[in-house]
Short mmCIF file of all heavy atoms in Angstrom, two decimals:
data_model
loop_
_atom_site.label_atom_id
_atom_site.label_comp_id
_atom_site.label_asym_id
_atom_site.label_seq_id
_atom_site.Cartn_x
_atom_site.Cartn_y
_atom_site.Cartn_z
N ALA A 21 4.23 2.21 7.47
CA ALA A 21 4.56 0.98 8.18
C ALA A 21 5.40 0.11 7.26
O ALA A 21 5.21 0.09 6.04
CB ALA A 21 3.29 0.24 8.59
N ARG A 22 6.33 -0.62 7.84
CA ARG A 22 7.19 -1.51 7.05
C ARG A 22 6.67 -2.93 7.12
O ARG A 22 6.12 -3.37 8.15
CB ARG A 22 8.64 -1.43 7.52
CG ARG A 22 8.90 -1.96 8.90
CD ARG A 22 10.37 -1.82 9.28
NE ARG A 22 10.70 -0.45 9.67
CZ ARG A 22 11.94 0.00 9.83
NH1 ARG A 22 12.97 -0.81 9.59
NH2 ARG A 22 12.17 1.25 10.20
N LEU A 23 6.85 -3.67 6.02
CA LEU A 23 6.47 -5.07 6.01
C LEU A 23 7.55 -5.89 6.72
O LEU A 23 8.70 -5.47 6.85
CB LEU A 23 6.31 -5.59 4.58
CG LEU A 23 5.32 -4.87 3.66
CD1 LEU A 23 5.12 -5.68 2.38
CD2 LEU A 23 3.99 -4.62 4.34
N GLU A 24 7.17 -7.08 7.16
CA GLU A 24 8.13 -7.96 7.80
C GLU A 24 9.14 -8.50 6.80
O GLU A 24 10.31 -8.70 7.12
CB GLU A 24 7.40 -9.13 8.47
CG GLU A 24 6.50 -8.70 9.64
CD GLU A 24 5.83 -9.89 10.29
OE1 GLU A 24 6.12 -11.04 9.87
OE2 GLU A 24 5.01 -9.68 11.21
N ARG A 25 8.68 -8.73 5.57
CA ARG A 25 9.55 -9.31 4.54
C ARG A 25 10.36 -8.23 3.84
O ARG A 25 9.82 -7.21 3.42
CB ARG A 25 8.70 -10.07 3.52
CG ARG A 25 9.50 -10.74 2.39
CD ARG A 25 8.55 -11.35 1.38
NE ARG A 25 7.74 -12.39 2.00
CZ ARG A 25 8.10 -13.67 2.07
NH1 ARG A 25 9.26 -14.06 1.56
NH2 ARG A 25 7.31 -14.56 2.63
N HIS A 26 11.66 -8.46 3.71
CA HIS A 26 12.53 -7.57 2.94
C HIS A 26 12.70 -8.12 1.53
O HIS A 26 12.67 -9.32 1.32
CB HIS A 26 13.91 -7.48 3.59
CG HIS A 26 13.94 -6.61 4.80
ND1 HIS A 26 15.05 -5.87 5.16
CD2 HIS A 26 13.01 -6.34 5.74
CE1 HIS A 26 14.79 -5.19 6.27
NE2 HIS A 26 13.56 -5.48 6.65
N ILE A 27 12.89 -7.22 0.59
CA ILE A 27 13.22 -7.63 -0.77
C ILE A 27 14.74 -7.77 -0.85
O ILE A 27 15.49 -6.84 -0.54
CB ILE A 27 12.73 -6.59 -1.80
CG1 ILE A 27 11.21 -6.47 -1.71
CG2 ILE A 27 13.16 -6.98 -3.21
CD1 ILE A 27 10.45 -7.75 -1.97
N GLY A 28 15.20 -8.93 -1.29
CA GLY A 28 16.63 -9.16 -1.37
C GLY A 28 17.23 -9.69 -0.09
O GLY A 28 18.45 -9.83 0.01
N GLY A 29 16.40 -9.97 0.92
CA GLY A 29 16.90 -10.51 2.17
C GLY A 29 17.60 -9.47 3.02
O GLY A 29 17.62 -8.28 2.70
N VAL A 30 18.21 -9.92 4.08
CA VAL A 30 18.84 -8.99 5.02
C VAL A 30 20.03 -8.28 4.40
O VAL A 30 20.42 -7.20 4.83
CB VAL A 30 19.26 -9.73 6.31
CG1 VAL A 30 18.04 -10.24 7.05
CG2 VAL A 30 20.20 -10.91 5.98
N ARG A 31 20.66 -8.91 3.40
CA ARG A 31 21.82 -8.29 2.77
C ARG A 31 21.47 -7.02 2.00
O ARG A 31 22.34 -6.22 1.69
CB ARG A 31 22.50 -9.29 1.83
CG ARG A 31 23.16 -10.47 2.55
CD ARG A 31 23.88 -11.36 1.56
NE ARG A 31 24.54 -12.48 2.24
CZ ARG A 31 25.24 -13.41 1.61
NH1 ARG A 31 25.38 -13.35 0.28
NH2 ARG A 31 25.80 -14.40 2.29
N SER A 32 20.19 -6.86 1.68
CA SER A 32 19.78 -5.67 0.92
C SER A 32 19.81 -4.42 1.80
O SER A 32 19.75 -3.30 1.29
CB SER A 32 18.37 -5.87 0.35
OG SER A 32 17.42 -5.98 1.40
N GLY A 33 19.87 -4.61 3.12
CA GLY A 33 19.90 -3.47 4.02
C GLY A 33 18.60 -2.69 3.98
O GLY A 33 17.52 -3.23 3.70
N SER A 34 18.70 -1.39 4.24
CA SER A 34 17.49 -0.56 4.29
C SER A 34 16.84 -0.41 2.92
O SER A 34 15.63 -0.16 2.83
CB SER A 34 17.84 0.83 4.85
OG SER A 34 18.77 1.49 4.00
N SER A 35 17.60 -0.57 1.82
CA SER A 35 17.03 -0.41 0.48
C SER A 35 15.95 -1.44 0.19
O SER A 35 15.05 -1.19 -0.61
CB SER A 35 18.13 -0.51 -0.58
OG SER A 35 19.02 0.57 -0.48
N GLY A 36 16.03 -2.62 0.85
CA GLY A 36 15.06 -3.67 0.59
C GLY A 36 13.85 -3.65 1.50
O GLY A 36 12.97 -4.50 1.36
N ILE A 37 13.77 -2.68 2.41
CA ILE A 37 12.58 -2.58 3.27
C ILE A 37 11.39 -2.17 2.41
O ILE A 37 11.49 -1.27 1.58
CB ILE A 37 12.80 -1.56 4.39
CG1 ILE A 37 13.96 -1.99 5.29
CG2 ILE A 37 11.53 -1.38 5.22
CD1 ILE A 37 14.34 -0.96 6.33
N VAL A 38 10.26 -2.84 2.61
CA VAL A 38 9.04 -2.54 1.86
C VAL A 38 8.09 -1.76 2.76
O VAL A 38 7.84 -2.17 3.90
CB VAL A 38 8.36 -3.82 1.35
CG1 VAL A 38 7.12 -3.48 0.52
CG2 VAL A 38 9.34 -4.65 0.52
N TRP A 39 7.56 -0.67 2.25
CA TRP A 39 6.72 0.23 3.03
C TRP A 39 5.31 0.28 2.46
O TRP A 39 5.10 0.14 1.25
CB TRP A 39 7.31 1.64 3.03
CG TRP A 39 8.68 1.73 3.60
CD1 TRP A 39 9.87 1.55 2.94
CD2 TRP A 39 9.03 1.99 4.97
NE1 TRP A 39 10.93 1.68 3.80
CE2 TRP A 39 10.44 1.97 5.06
CE3 TRP A 39 8.29 2.26 6.12
CZ2 TRP A 39 11.12 2.19 6.25
CZ3 TRP A 39 8.96 2.49 7.31
CH2 TRP A 39 10.36 2.45 7.37
N GLN A 40 4.36 0.54 3.34
CA GLN A 40 2.99 0.84 2.95
C GLN A 40 2.46 1.91 3.90
O GLN A 40 3.12 2.27 4.88
CB GLN A 40 2.11 -0.40 3.01
CG GLN A 40 1.97 -1.02 4.39
CD GLN A 40 1.14 -2.30 4.39
OE1 GLN A 40 0.66 -2.73 3.36
NE2 GLN A 40 0.97 -2.89 5.56
N LEU A 41 1.29 2.43 3.60
CA LEU A 41 0.70 3.42 4.49
C LEU A 41 0.38 2.80 5.84
O LEU A 41 -0.09 1.67 5.93
CB LEU A 41 -0.58 3.99 3.88
CG LEU A 41 -0.44 5.05 2.78
CD1 LEU A 41 -1.81 5.45 2.28
CD2 LEU A 41 0.33 6.27 3.28
N GLY A 42 0.63 3.56 6.90
CA GLY A 42 0.20 3.15 8.22
C GLY A 42 -1.24 3.59 8.46
O GLY A 42 -1.85 4.29 7.63
N ALA A 43 -1.79 3.21 9.61
CA ALA A 43 -3.19 3.52 9.90
C ALA A 43 -3.44 5.02 9.92
O ALA A 43 -4.44 5.51 9.36
CB ALA A 43 -3.58 2.91 11.24
N THR A 44 -2.55 5.78 10.53
CA THR A 44 -2.73 7.24 10.58
C THR A 44 -2.57 7.86 9.20
O THR A 44 -3.31 8.77 8.83
CB THR A 44 -1.72 7.86 11.56
OG1 THR A 44 -1.88 7.27 12.85
CG2 THR A 44 -1.94 9.37 11.68
N GLY A 45 -1.61 7.37 8.43
CA GLY A 45 -1.42 7.88 7.08
C GLY A 45 -2.61 7.61 6.20
O GLY A 45 -3.02 8.47 5.40
N GLU A 46 -3.20 6.43 6.34
CA GLU A 46 -4.39 6.10 5.56
C GLU A 46 -5.55 7.02 5.91
O GLU A 46 -6.24 7.54 5.03
CB GLU A 46 -4.77 4.63 5.81
CG GLU A 46 -5.88 4.10 4.91
CD GLU A 46 -7.28 4.42 5.40
OE1 GLU A 46 -7.45 4.63 6.64
OE2 GLU A 46 -8.20 4.48 4.57
N ARG A 47 -5.75 7.26 7.21
CA ARG A 47 -6.85 8.15 7.63
C ARG A 47 -6.61 9.57 7.15
O ARG A 47 -7.54 10.27 6.71
CB ARG A 47 -7.00 8.12 9.15
CG ARG A 47 -7.57 6.84 9.70
CD ARG A 47 -8.08 7.03 11.12
NE ARG A 47 -7.00 7.41 12.03
CZ ARG A 47 -6.23 6.55 12.69
NH1 ARG A 47 -6.38 5.26 12.52
NH2 ARG A 47 -5.29 6.99 13.52
N LEU A 48 -5.36 10.03 7.22
CA LEU A 48 -5.05 11.39 6.79
C LEU A 48 -5.37 11.58 5.31
O LEU A 48 -6.07 12.53 4.93
CB LEU A 48 -3.57 11.68 7.04
CG LEU A 48 -3.04 13.01 6.48
CD1 LEU A 48 -3.70 14.19 7.18
CD2 LEU A 48 -1.52 13.09 6.60
N LEU A 49 -4.88 10.68 4.46
CA LEU A 49 -5.10 10.85 3.03
C LEU A 49 -6.56 10.62 2.65
O LEU A 49 -7.08 11.27 1.75
CB LEU A 49 -4.20 9.89 2.24
CG LEU A 49 -2.70 10.15 2.34
CD1 LEU A 49 -1.94 9.24 1.39
CD2 LEU A 49 -2.37 11.61 2.04
N ARG A 50 -7.21 9.70 3.37
CA ARG A 50 -8.64 9.48 3.08
C ARG A 50 -9.43 10.74 3.39
O ARG A 50 -10.33 11.11 2.62
CB ARG A 50 -9.14 8.29 3.92
CG ARG A 50 -10.62 8.02 3.78
CD ARG A 50 -10.96 6.59 4.17
NE ARG A 50 -10.28 6.14 5.36
CZ ARG A 50 -10.78 6.23 6.60
NH1 ARG A 50 -11.95 6.82 6.79
NH2 ARG A 50 -10.10 5.77 7.64
N THR A 51 -9.11 11.41 4.46
CA THR A 51 -9.79 12.65 4.81
C THR A 51 -9.46 13.75 3.81
O THR A 51 -10.33 14.50 3.37
CB THR A 51 -9.41 13.10 6.23
OG1 THR A 51 -9.68 12.05 7.15
CG2 THR A 51 -10.20 14.33 6.64
N MET A 52 -8.18 13.85 3.44
CA MET A 52 -7.76 14.87 2.48
C MET A 52 -8.45 14.72 1.13
O MET A 52 -8.80 15.69 0.48
CB MET A 52 -6.24 14.82 2.29
CG MET A 52 -5.43 15.32 3.48
SD MET A 52 -3.66 15.06 3.24
CE MET A 52 -3.38 16.01 1.73
N HIS A 53 -8.67 13.46 0.71
CA HIS A 53 -9.27 13.19 -0.59
C HIS A 53 -10.79 13.06 -0.52
O HIS A 53 -11.44 12.81 -1.55
CB HIS A 53 -8.68 11.91 -1.20
CG HIS A 53 -7.25 12.07 -1.65
ND1 HIS A 53 -6.92 12.58 -2.89
CD2 HIS A 53 -6.08 11.81 -1.02
CE1 HIS A 53 -5.60 12.60 -3.01
NE2 HIS A 53 -5.07 12.15 -1.90
N GLY A 54 -11.36 13.22 0.66
CA GLY A 54 -12.81 13.16 0.80
C GLY A 54 -13.38 11.78 0.57
O GLY A 54 -14.53 11.63 0.14
N GLU A 55 -12.61 10.74 0.88
CA GLU A 55 -13.07 9.38 0.68
C GLU A 55 -13.70 8.85 1.97
O GLU A 55 -13.27 9.18 3.06
CB GLU A 55 -11.91 8.48 0.27
CG GLU A 55 -11.27 8.86 -1.06
CD GLU A 55 -10.06 8.02 -1.38
OE1 GLU A 55 -9.58 7.29 -0.47
OE2 GLU A 55 -9.58 8.07 -2.53
#
């Protein structure tokens, strides 16, 4: 999932998009790691 805030503002383009795990990604890795 991407955050609403970009690093460097809109001029940074796609390079400034900040990402984190989404809900499905979190569940997948949690299951894979036995957490």
Side-chain angles (χ1 to χ4, degrees):
R22 66 180 78 191
L23 303 191
E24 294 181 4
R25 180 185 298 271
H26 284 212
I27 299 301
V30 295
R31 292 183 179 180
S32 64
S34 62
S35 294
I37 298 174
V38 182
W39 300 87
Q40 63 183 0
L41 282 178
T44 303
E46 188 276 335
R47 288 197 298 271
L48 173 65
L49 294 187
R50 177 158 43 92
T51 305
M52 289 174 59
H53 289 275
E55 297 176 348

